[in-house]
Amino acid sequence: MTTDFEWEKDKLYFLPLGGCGLFGANLTLYGFNGKWLMVDCGMGFPDDTMPSVDLLVPDITFIKQQRDNLIGCVLTHAHEDHIGALEYLWPDLKCPLYATPFTAAMIRSKFAEHSWADQAEIHTIPVGGEIKDLKPFHIRMIGMAHSIPEAQSLVITAGDLPPVLHTGDWKLDATPCVGDETDETSLAALGEAGGILAVVAQCGDLLESTVKRHFGAKDSGSLIPGHGGVLDRLDGFLTVAPVVALLTWGADGSPLTW
Ligand SMILES: [Zn+2]
């Protein structure tokens, strides 16, 4: 993987180190004007082709070499495939962490087993809250229904570019078994505001034809499949927004830019 690329000014870079095209090991980097923002740091799960392997973690070689430019990591929710690799990888990164109260508590409980636990800077953000101290990025959370409390989508803005909606895991459920229902009002408002640059969705089992059927007619953004099969549920929210065309990523290990 390229680690010494030249930054292009005012370009937004998208670089998944895990989670795209596979289930688990979610770790996404967004780059802007020399700084990297990390979203999630999850473990992956070995299958029967990996005997004696207990768990998988993302390969963080790239961001480890650029650790001085890593401004922080935001965790979307507390499932293992989103926070489970933190306790193994954080000592190599030592970046500030940002999460809702429930997710932050889960991280603290994992870190408590390690000698370095008191070195970690963990910021607690309210559900639906904002993160203003990760410049050049601005991050707003939107609460989503999921199978764990306090799952959040992230509205990530950098410079004068329209925002990226990083969905995390989510579903539409008026009576979720745990946690709150999806904040549809905020999602709809985001769509009505228009100008969404990209939806980075947890829906990697989508086929290209499915993506194009829903969003292919609109062409000023990109959709990055993650996992989960929920893209069709976005359609109702974001009908006004100029998302999305299918974009593949990382085939040559290079970051994408907008
Ligand atoms: Zn989840």
Side-chain angles (χ1 to χ4, degrees), residues 77 79 81-82 146-148 169:
H77 65 289
H79 274 154
D81 56 322
H82 290 258
H146 191 28
S147 55
I148 195 168
D169 291 348

Side-chain angles (χ1 to χ4, degrees), residues 50-95:
M50 307 173 210
S52 79
V53 176
D54 292 325
L55 60 89
L56 306 175
V57 298
D59 181 348
I60 61 166
T61 303
F62 174 86
I63 194 61
K64 196 172 157 184
Q65 292 174 348
Q66 299 218 8
R67 192 171 80 173
D68 290 347
N69 296 324
L70 177 62
I71 54 175
C73 177
V74 182
L75 292 311
T76 59
H77 65 289
H79 274 154
E80 292 293 341
D81 56 322
H82 290 258
I83 67 167
L86 265 179
E87 63 180 303
Y88 307 107
L89 302 182
W90 186 84
D92 285 333
L93 301 173
K94 291 190 165 60
C95 61

Side-chain angles (χ1 to χ4, degrees), residues 159-178:
D160 295 328
L161 293 169
V164 170
L165 176 64
H166 183 110
T167 68
D169 291 348
W170 64 290
K171 60 180 178 176
L172 296 182
D173 187 348
T175 56
C177 58
V178 293

